Amino acid sequence: MIQFVLLLSRQGKVRLTKWYSPYPQKERTKVIREISGEVLTRGPKLCNFVEWRGLKVVYRRYASLYFCMCIDQDDNELEVLEIIHHYVETLDRYFGSVCELDLIFNFHKAYYILDELLLAGELQESSKKTVARLITGQDALVETAKEEANSISNIIAQASK
C-alpha cells in the first residue's frame, strides 16, 4: 500500500502531497524534510529505492520534479515505479507537455488526476483513456458551473440596476 505521495522540486519545495495514512501535521513536516533530504542528495546513478523507517521510498526524477511514493516493506518497487510513470504520462497527456509551472498553477487538476489513479493508496484505474475521459467530463462540469454562475450574477446585476 502507498503510504503517501510527494512531489518535490530540485530545490526541495513541495509541489504536491497526498497522505493515505494518518500522520499528524508535525510528523508530516518532519517526514517531508527527511525524505527531501534523502532523495535530493542522492546521485543520479544510484537506484530509485530508499529504505526509510521500516518503509521504502520509491522515487523518480522527471525534469525538475521528484515524484516520491512511500510504500510498505513488502510491496513491489517496480510496480510503484510504473504507477509513478503512469501518473506522469497522464499529466503529460492532460497538460500537453507537463512542467512544474503547470502543477503549481493547476494543482487542483494534479490532485484530481492523482485521485482518479489512486484510491486509498492502491491503484484504482490503470487505463489512461478512462482517466482522460473522466477528467474531460470533470472539466465540462466545471465549465458548465462557471457559465451558470456568470449568468446568475449577470441576472442579479441587471435586477439591482
Side-chain angles (χ1 to χ4, degrees):
M1 180 184 138
I2 298 171
Q3 303 292 319
F4 54 84
V5 177
L6 297 175
L7 266 65
L8 304 167
S9 70
R10 277 190 298 178
Q11 295 78 28
K13 295 198 186 261
V14 177
R15 298 301 181 202
L16 181 136
T17 60
K18 185 72 174 181
W19 303 87
Y20 297 107
S21 295
Y23 285 87
Q25 190 60 41
K26 282 187 177 182
E27 183 70 15
R28 287 182 183 189
T29 55
K30 187 177 177 184
V31 164
I32 291 169
R33 192 174 337 109
E34 285 179 21
I35 290 181
S36 63
E38 187 83 27
V39 168
L40 296 175
T41 57
R42 289 177 63 87
K45 301 265 186 207
L46 296 175
C47 78
N48 294 350
F49 316 133
V50 178
E51 298 280 332
W52 176 79
R53 292 189 187 180
L55 300 169
K56 285 188 263 187
V57 176
V58 179
Y59 69 94
R60 182 125 185 225
R61 180 179 169 194
Y62 288 93
S64 64
L65 287 173
Y66 286 89
F67 291 76
C68 308
M69 292 188 181
C70 183
I71 59 173
D72 294 330
Q73 193 68 32
D74 56 343
D75 284 344
N76 187 345
E77 302 94 350
L78 297 176
E79 179 185 5
V80 176
L81 275 175
E82 284 298 316
I83 291 172
I84 291 172
H85 188 68
H86 182 61
Y87 180 50
V88 171
E89 283 182 332
T90 307
L91 288 171
D92 211 32
R93 180 179 274 185
Y94 181 75
F95 288 111
S97 180
V98 70
C99 66
E100 187 174 350
L101 288 176
D102 290 328
L103 299 180
I104 292 170
F105 293 117
N106 298 302
F107 64 92
H108 54 285
K109 302 276 187 190
Y111 276 111
Y112 183 73
I113 292 169
L114 186 63
D115 288 341
E116 286 299 324
L117 291 176
L118 299 175
L119 179 68
E122 299 289 340
L123 184 64
Q124 171 184 328
E125 184 58 61
S126 61
S127 169
K128 291 178 208 140
K129 287 181 181 179
T130 303
V131 172
R133 185 175 40 81
L134 292 169
I135 294 166
T136 304
Q138 177 69 17
D139 286 345
L141 286 173
V142 168
E143 287 302 317
T144 303
K146 283 182 182 178
E147 289 171 3
E148 288 177 6
N150 285 339
S151 66
I152 291 173
S153 61
N154 288 340
I155 291 171
I156 292 172
Q158 289 176 356
S160 63
K161 288 183 182 179

